[in-house]
Amino acid sequence: MISQETLEKIKQMLLEEKAKILRKLQKNMEEVNDHRESRGVGDEVDSAVALEMESLVNALSGMEAARLRQIEDALRRIEEGTYGYCKECGEPIEEGRLLAKPFATLCVSCKEAEERKRY
Ligand SMILES: [Zn+2]
């Protein structure tokens, strides 16, 4: 059983991570806008550069968006009281594992079994 103290700690970690990602996304967006403004429109090379940068930001946003979903999911599970239990076998996940990997939804043995299946 995961202690309330650990749960609070993980919740704080998740909220901090969430804030960090949101700040990063905002910064990326501002950089793309700055780039557009300083370069102006019409030059073919410049618009190619701008396009490339935009797809870079989009790709990054995709990764960050996936991470955000994981965070939201973990926070929801904390609220529901299902956080910290293995999705496969229902056994509590070790606290050390949760602190290292707050998004873990499987206990170590189920995770290992899953990895053996995959490779
Ligand atoms: Zn398990």
Side-chain angles (χ1 to χ4, degrees):
M1 179 67 193
I2 183 164
S3 73
Q4 197 58 40
E5 200 188 336
T6 306
L7 208 60
E8 265 316 304
K9 204 162 147 189
I10 289 171
K11 196 172 164 182
Q12 284 311 312
M13 278 164 62
L14 291 168
L15 289 173
E16 268 171 40
E17 178 89 9
K18 185 177 163 182
K20 221 175 4 183
I21 292 174
L22 290 177
R23 271 199 305 272
K24 202 162 152 191
L25 281 178
Q26 200 174 21
K27 200 166 156 272
N28 285 343
M29 242 101 93
E30 279 164 14
E31 271 168 21
V32 169
N33 285 337
D34 283 354
H35 194 83
R36 280 205 190 111
E37 278 161 25
S38 61
R39 291 295 176 114
V41 201
D43 190 299
E44 269 178 47
V45 176
D46 280 352
S47 53
V49 168
L51 246 167
E52 207 170 283
M53 208 163 138
E54 202 171 312
S55 56
L56 204 76
V57 169
N58 285 339
L60 186 72
S61 303
M63 261 164 50
E64 310 283 52
R67 176 48 67 96
L68 263 183
R69 268 197 299 276
Q70 281 186 310
I71 293 172
E72 294 291 356
D73 187 54
L75 286 171
R76 205 197 59 234
R77 280 183 285 128
I78 288 175
E79 295 304 321
E80 285 174 356
T82 58
Y83 183 84
Y85 292 93
C86 176
K87 217 170 57 180
E88 269 310 300
C89 66
E91 291 295 317
I93 301 172
E94 297 79 8
E95 286 194 4
R97 175 167 163 73
L98 288 171
L99 284 168
K101 291 183 175 225
F103 311 120
T105 54
L106 295 172
C107 69
V108 174
S109 47
C110 290
K111 180 76 189 162
E112 279 171 2
E114 194 198 64
E115 274 166 11
R116 270 199 301 276
K117 246 188 306 181
R118 205 183 301 160
Y119 298 112

